Amino acid sequence: MELGMVGLGRMGGNMAQRLLEGGHSIVAYDPGVEAVEAVEALGARAGNSLEDLVSLLSPPRAVWSMVPSGSITEDTVSALGDLLSPGDTIVDGGNSNYKDSVRRASELGKKGVTFLDAGTSGGIWGLTEGYSLMVGGEKEAFQRLEQVFQTLAPGPDHGYGHVGPAGAGHFVKMVHNGIEYGMMQAYAEGFELMEAKEQFGLDLAQISEIWRYGSVVRSWLLDLTAAALQEDPELSGLQAYVDDSGEGRWTVEESIELAIPIPVISASLQARFRSRQDGPFGVKLLAAMRNQFGGHAVKKA
């Protein structure tokens, strides 16, 4: 099957490679010349611009956008919407806000262009392991492109699916990432507790390996945790700074809108915020309050 690919960063480039290895024809475009040359070497055709990419595709066209969420996705989808024809399809595989995906599908629909939002999980391992794909949009468009999803997924009969109308794919991916935050925070807290129990001299790398097999807490995240601890048991090469992609925030915001409590996910997001602060003011104020009412000792800066 022929597919246009826009955005050839690490994940987009890996997806293009997986599709090419699966027998699909790819027309690729990215502002970065080296990224385009890399997929060209694998057998893709290159477009010099969005206009060129669209002209090289045969109708009905399908273009997969794999660019960062926000203004870049907005500009890319808008430009493609003006270039494509009725019956063509745009797939947004990035981490867009599902509300934007609902809007984009409506706007493109007025032009006869179909929009699919494909929540994509798999990160840098997707090339070898496959990607988990949560697709929203018109069922007919999903079925037309199902061969593409099957090739990108871990297997032709699992790891992907049509989850609902436009916006549903990115909504499900948003919740997926929120759950991921909570799982990661639980692992981090548990291992920190064991690391602090100096009396036992626990080997955290060994314990992570034990838990990987047969344990009820085994998971791919635990596999990655074990790998990180094998590489650097003290994590001496890292700072205690954790960023967030934004999807955890959207998940918490959605829980407020729907009045659905998600305390674990909310707390894990707050923990990430705290990790970025150097000498948090709130913690200093806690120390000051204890000193004021009880004369408790404080540590001076």
Side-chain angles (χ1 to χ4, degrees):
M1 184 171 188
E2 184 181 61
L3 183 72
M5 288 284 296
V6 179
L8 301 171
R10 189 169 187 181
M11 193 164 177
N14 284 349
M15 294 176 78
Q17 180 176 343
R18 189 172 174 92
L19 288 168
L20 287 164
E21 291 174 351
H24 297 275
S25 174
I26 300 295
V27 179
Y29 169 71
D30 189 283
V33 176
E34 291 183 359
V36 176
E37 291 177 345
V39 296
E40 264 193 302
L42 297 171
R45 289 185 294 161
N48 298 317
S49 63
L50 290 180
E51 293 83 355
D52 192 31
L53 176 141
V54 170
S55 71
L56 291 171
L57 293 169
S58 302
R61 306 171 185 87
V63 180
W64 190 301
S65 173
M66 203 66 193
V67 300
S69 63
S71 60
I72 300 178
T73 291
E74 186 70 26
D75 294 343
T76 300
V77 172
S78 177
L80 286 171
D82 291 336
L83 294 168
L84 294 172
S85 304
D88 294 343
T89 302
I90 297 173
V91 182
D92 178 10
N95 285 332
S96 294
N97 189 300
Y98 81 92
K99 295 178 181 179
D100 290 329
S101 297
V102 172
R103 171 180 55 80
R104 288 167 185 151
S106 176
E107 293 171 351
L108 290 167
K110 296 173 184 176
K111 301 177 181 181
V113 176
T114 305
F115 180 83
L116 295 177
D117 50 296
T120 306
S121 180
I124 61 176
W125 294 90
L127 176 60
T128 55
E129 303 295 326
Y131 298 90
S132 175
L133 300 167
M134 303 140 260
V135 187
E138 293 182 10
K139 187 67 176 288
E140 294 78 8
F142 167 82
Q143 291 172 336
R144 285 198 302 272
L145 296 178
E146 191 163 7
Q147 291 180 359
V148 171
F149 302 128
Q150 289 175 327
T151 302
L152 290 171
D157 58 353
H158 60 269
Y160 79 97
H162 180 261
V163 297
H170 282 148
F171 180 84
V172 172
K173 176 57 164 51
M174 177 193 76
V175 176
H176 164 282
N177 280 28
I179 293 170
E180 177 186 294
Y181 280 38
M183 292 175 66
M184 292 173 70
Q185 185 65 28
Y187 281 129
E189 292 176 6
F191 277 91
E192 183 173 7
L193 183 62
M194 290 188 290
E195 194 270 341
K197 192 64 173 177
E198 297 178 358
Q199 171 188 351
F200 292 147
L202 300 174
D203 184 337
L204 301 187
Q206 178 206 23
I207 292 167
S208 66
E209 286 294 333
I210 293 172
W211 286 359
R212 287 180 63 206
Y213 303 96
S215 164
V216 296
V217 299
R218 65 187 183 274
S219 72
W220 186 50
L221 280 175
L222 182 60
D223 294 343
L224 299 177
T225 299
L229 290 170
Q230 290 287 347
E231 292 173 6
D232 184 1
E234 304 298 324
L235 302 181
S236 56
L238 298 176
Q239 293 184 15
Y241 182 103
V242 187
D243 215 334
D244 73 283
S245 64
E247 296 210 23
R249 303 185 191 209
W250 300 340
T251 305
V252 173
E253 290 169 2
E254 192 69 24
S255 78
I256 295 171
E257 289 186 20
L258 297 176
I260 298 296
I262 52 170
V264 171
I265 294 174
S266 298
S268 67
L269 177 63
Q270 298 297 330
R272 294 195 179 196
F273 294 158
R274 180 62 87 190
S275 78
R276 303 169 205 168
Q277 296 181 327
D278 184 14
F281 180 82
V283 178
K284 294 179 181 179
L285 189 57
L286 285 173
M289 285 188 283
R290 292 185 75 249
N291 178 257
Q292 288 290 325
F293 69 67
H296 299 288
V298 295
K299 291 185 178 182
K300 297 293 186 179

